Amino acid sequence: MSVTVMLFKRNIALDTLILVVVLIIVNIIRRQFNSNSLEIKRFLGYDSDLLLNFTQLANKYGYSSEEHTVVTEDGYLLKVFRIKNKKCEARVKQPPLLLMHGVLQSSDAWFDASPGTGLAYLLADECFDAWVGNQRGNYYARRHLTLNPDKDSSFWDFSVDQIGYYDVPATIDYVLSNMRVKKLNYIGYSQGAGTFFVMCSERPEYCKKTSLLIGLSPATRLKHTKSKPFRSILNILSTCEGLLAQLKINELFAKESFLQVLVEFICQIRLFSEPLCENFLYGFVDSSHPGSITHETLSMLYSHIAGGTSLRNMARYGQSLNADDFQKYDFGETVNVVKYGSKKPPGYNLSSVSLPVVIIYGANDHLVDTKDISWLVDKLPNVIGLEEVADPLWNHLDTMFSQHINKTIWPTVNRYLKRFSETYMKTKS
Ligand SMILES: *[C@@H]1O[C@H](CO)[C@@H](O)[C@H](O)[C@H]1NC(C)=O
Ligand SMILES: *[C@@H]1O[C@H](CO)[C@@H](O)[C@H](O)[C@H]1NC(C)=O
Ligand SMILES: *[C@@H]1O[C@H](CO)[C@@H](O)[C@H](O)[C@H]1NC(C)=O
């Protein structure tokens, strides 16, 4: 039995207490860890890749890269990166492609599975012009024109609702205006796809700025999520949201927090990575796939996860485990009436997702369950491709981190992208 499952076999009241205490402690000791952490990690002998940011990683492996800053309408500053393979300079495929990460991740996640396997590398190798976005609250998007994330709790008043309304459109506009084109293609993993649907519902004109959406294990309604540890943590956070907010704990699972630093340290040691770190991950997602994630990828992903998000966002996921619809954050009846004009939070209009959509998912995904995928697919008006990965053990993490990405999801992603890159060039001329 894995460590996580054992932890969650005990009663829920004790778990709640422990989690709340851990979050309080982590928040208090967090700030001391920020300075000099690179020096310390170098001294402790970390693999050099663990110390590099997006640009440095791209450059190290021979790719050219750019750093840009997107400003959202409500003042958040988000980094967006661009990666290109140098051999492609004269024949880069168009339109540009935008990648969006999942919850508690950042743009770095697309690199974790190393060159030849990680999707950002594979896309660049096929000469796609890949832009890699970040969503507010993670370590590349923890800045604002006027709000200070360390002092102003209102910085953290957001969930998927605002990310889909502001961040995704702002990033799309930025890429389009930089490239002087009218459309792009979009690949979203988990929350990165869910936020795209939010955008289409609330700002349908942005849906039309995208030629193709590839949703990898897209997270919308999570009613059938099987993972017990995941359900427990999210339910606890949702239940204790008011209490934690009172204690000024508005940011959760930040990079360089005590917890993340400790876990990163343990997981870069080969001796621990499989028995502890791999089993912990598999316990958390409640679905194992032995040998799928290499030691190198495990240590990379633990150095980037958790990348930080808001308490509100996690609480909203807690709500979505118990809702029948893909809907907005529930403030409680009184506030809902003020904010939404109805006692219940409104559902997102998935009929407005008018563009061609391809969905790729795993049968062994216990976070985004296949039943919720079917529910989503029924609601979407223009699904042109639906693919369950042939490997029956394919789970939520494999899509980003498996060493088998090249043989499983990549051929499908590549095939559809090529089709839409060509189609766009033809209609343009
Ligand atoms: C990445 O590291 C380089 C080199 O230290 C630095 O110039 C750059 O600002 C960093 N980028 C981000 C987004 O932190
Ligand atoms: C990825 O897979 C394709 C086809 O299976 C193969 O041609 C290619 O060499 C692989 N790339 C890497 C880097 O392994
Ligand atoms: C949802 O979107 C569709 C397509 O744009 C539109 O026809 C329909 O009226 C919308 N429904 C609601 C409730 O707004």
Side-chain angles (χ1 to χ4, degrees), residues 53 55-56 67 79 81 140:
N53 66 27
T55 320
Q56 294 167 316
E67 285 186 10
K79 281 270 178 256
F81 300 98
Y140 287 129

Side-chain angles (χ1 to χ4, degrees), residues 362-382:
N364 195 29
D365 189 333
H366 289 185
L367 301 191
V368 176
D369 191 86
T370 52
K371 287 202 195 76
D372 289 321
I373 294 281
S374 306
W375 175 86
L376 170 68
V377 168
D378 278 348
K379 302 251 171 201
L380 295 174
N382 197 4

Side-chain angles (χ1 to χ4, degrees), residues 200-201 204 208 347-354 381:
C200 286
S201 165
K208 300 196 173 71
Y348 282 113
N349 185 359
L350 292 168
S351 317
S352 66
V353 185
S354 51

Side-chain angles (χ1 to χ4, degrees), residues 189-191 215-228 230 282 284-289 359-373 387-389 391-400:
Y189 167 61
S190 196
Q191 172 174 295
L216 305 173
S217 318
T220 56
R221 183 183 88 161
L222 297 179
K223 191 178 179 192
H224 293 284
T225 296
K226 287 200 193 83
S227 165
K228 285 205 179 74
F230 186 74
Y282 286 154
F284 182 68
V285 300
D286 191 19
S287 43
S288 86
H289 192 180
I359 289 182
I360 304 173
Y361 66 98
N364 195 29
D365 189 333
H366 289 185
L367 301 191
V368 176
D369 191 86
T370 52
K371 287 202 195 76
D372 289 321
I373 294 281
E387 188 161 302
E388 181 174 299
V389 177
D391 182 342
L393 291 182
W394 199 261
N395 65 29
H396 200 70
L397 301 167
D398 287 324
T399 300
M400 287 302 263

Side-chain angles (χ1 to χ4, degrees), residues 87-157:
K87 74 173 200 256
C88 300
E89 283 306 342
R91 51 186 174 98
V92 175
K93 290 195 178 85
Q94 289 299 326
L97 178 63
L98 177 57
L99 308 186
M100 204 54 91
H101 62 80
V103 67
L104 294 173
Q105 293 184 325
S106 77
S107 48
D108 296 342
W110 303 94
F111 279 161
D112 287 348
S114 68
T117 310
L119 277 173
Y121 294 118
L122 294 175
L123 289 161
D125 293 344
E126 276 294 311
C127 298
F128 289 105
D129 186 0
W131 294 69
V132 191
N134 283 289
Q135 303 192 329
R136 62 182 63 188
N138 84 17
Y139 54 95
Y140 287 129
R142 205 179 167 281
R143 280 170 68 212
H144 191 277
L145 290 177
T146 55
L147 299 173
N148 178 342
D150 291 321
K151 298 207 174 88
D152 301 313
S153 62
S154 59
F155 178 94
W156 300 102
D157 284 347

